[in-house]
Amino acid sequence: MHVASIGAGPATILFLHGFPELWYTWRHQLLSLSALGYRCIAPDLRGYGDTDAPSSPAKYTAFHIVGDLIGLLDALEVDKVFLVGHDWGAAMAWYFCRLRPDRVTAVVNLSIPPNRNPDSVLNVLQEVGKAEEEFAEVETGKMMVKLFTLFSKPDPPMVPRETRFRGLPDPPSLPSWLSEEDIQYYASKFNKTGFTGGLNYYRAFPLTGELMGPWAGGDCKYTVPAKFIVGDQDVAYGMVGLKDYIHSEEFKKEVPLLEEVVVMKGVPHFPNLVKPQEITQHIYDFIKRF
């Protein structure tokens, strides 16, 4: 497992990235929160960057990812952490809180609430090998730009039926929160590993749901203090039923210690990149209470 780490404070923050990202997506928060006195750790998750990438989708359930993270904390001799996740990193952070709340002081999750199946994306990406073949038809840097742009729109991802991912239009320019240097870094790592590891999170999601059966219903809730942040232009916020769920009593019932829900105006799916200082402040304002 490849890990970026900075800071030496008594409290540790563990950052979990999503797709199509790396530890690098948290670069702004690593610098700013370590400067505020925290030890900050951001791994490349299983299947990404310089971390091992098993080929089988069955090796990417939440149990595998949370197991990796527990192993990481044990290796670093860290007892408890503040968890911060985005996208699939948020999904894995929720599972971490469900399975090992004893290792989490509090959680701040971005974009993805717990137990929500990203059906519109699953249907496009689940077939093993097909998406990889389509991605390989486009230069990796261009594909990274296409993916960041696709997931930055408020509407659910629309992939042309005939041309699929290769048919996604090239945006006229990079968004202000991405530089050519950023794209080159992402591309250098995905050129090395391909996209299979990241795509396997989508493919393993139904198996995770099946294996979570023993935790269904009853008093098996998320018993960790939590803060949830989403942009009102986030593709996840616009998915069917998610906005209603985020503002519902059901969310508070599933996460009894949910203390804050923040909806950021005009912000798309990558708030930690689009509004890095604001996200740092949101994280800090919450975790400093503990």
Side-chain angles (χ1 to χ4, degrees), residues 120-135:
S120 63
V121 182
L122 279 171
N123 294 335
V124 177
L125 298 176
Q126 272 194 315
E127 186 175 342
V128 177
K130 189 169 183 178
E132 287 91 331
E133 291 174 5
E134 295 168 4
F135 283 15

Side-chain angles (χ1 to χ4, degrees), residues 37-106:
Y38 293 90
R39 181 183 185 185
C40 297
I41 300 170
D44 285 336
L45 294 177
R46 176 183 290 228
Y48 287 92
D50 295 315
T51 293
D52 288 348
S55 58
S56 170
K59 296 291 187 181
Y60 288 81
T61 70
F63 291 87
H64 292 88
I65 308 307
V66 174
D68 289 346
L69 297 170
I70 292 296
L72 171 62
L73 297 186
D74 288 347
L76 297 177
E77 299 182 343
V78 174
D79 182 38
K80 298 185 78 168
V81 295
F82 294 107
L83 270 181
V84 178
H86 171 252
D87 189 75
W88 275 107
M92 293 302 115
W94 289 120
Y95 283 116
F96 195 126
C97 294
R98 189 77 169 266
L99 299 171
R100 293 300 305 269
D102 58 305
R103 304 298 294 268
V104 184
T105 303

Side-chain angles (χ1 to χ4, degrees), residues 81-212:
V81 295
F82 294 107
L83 270 181
V84 178
H86 171 252
D87 189 75
W88 275 107
M92 293 302 115
W94 289 120
Y95 283 116
F96 195 126
C97 294
R98 189 77 169 266
L99 299 171
R100 293 300 305 269
D102 58 305
R103 304 298 294 268
V104 184
T105 303
V107 61
V108 179
N109 268 335
L110 282 58
S111 297
I112 305 297
N115 289 329
R116 289 303 173 269
N117 190 337
D119 290 315
S120 63
V121 182
L122 279 171
N123 294 335
V124 177
L125 298 176
Q126 272 194 315
E127 186 175 342
V128 177
K130 189 169 183 178
E132 287 91 331
E133 291 174 5
E134 295 168 4
F135 283 15
E137 295 177 9
V138 181
E139 188 271 326
T140 306
K142 285 188 176 182
M143 181 54 71
M144 297 305 303
V145 175
K146 288 175 185 281
L147 290 173
F148 275 113
T149 303
L150 177 69
F151 290 119
S152 294
K153 296 178 179 178
D155 301 317
M158 299 296 291
V159 179
R161 181 172 296 181
E162 297 298 327
T163 56
R164 304 281 289 180
F165 286 96
R166 65 181 179 276
L168 292 173
D170 292 318
S173 62
L174 288 176
S176 60
W177 43 271
L178 270 182
S179 69
E180 287 290 349
E181 182 182 6
D182 298 334
I183 292 299
Q184 289 172 13
Y185 183 81
Y186 284 114
S188 70
K189 298 303 179 182
F190 281 95
N191 270 330
K192 173 185 169 185
T193 62
F195 289 90
T196 297
L199 294 171
N200 279 343
Y201 284 71
Y202 296 89
R203 295 161 180 159
F205 196 70
L207 179 56
T208 291
E210 181 181 337
L211 295 174
M212 285 296 295

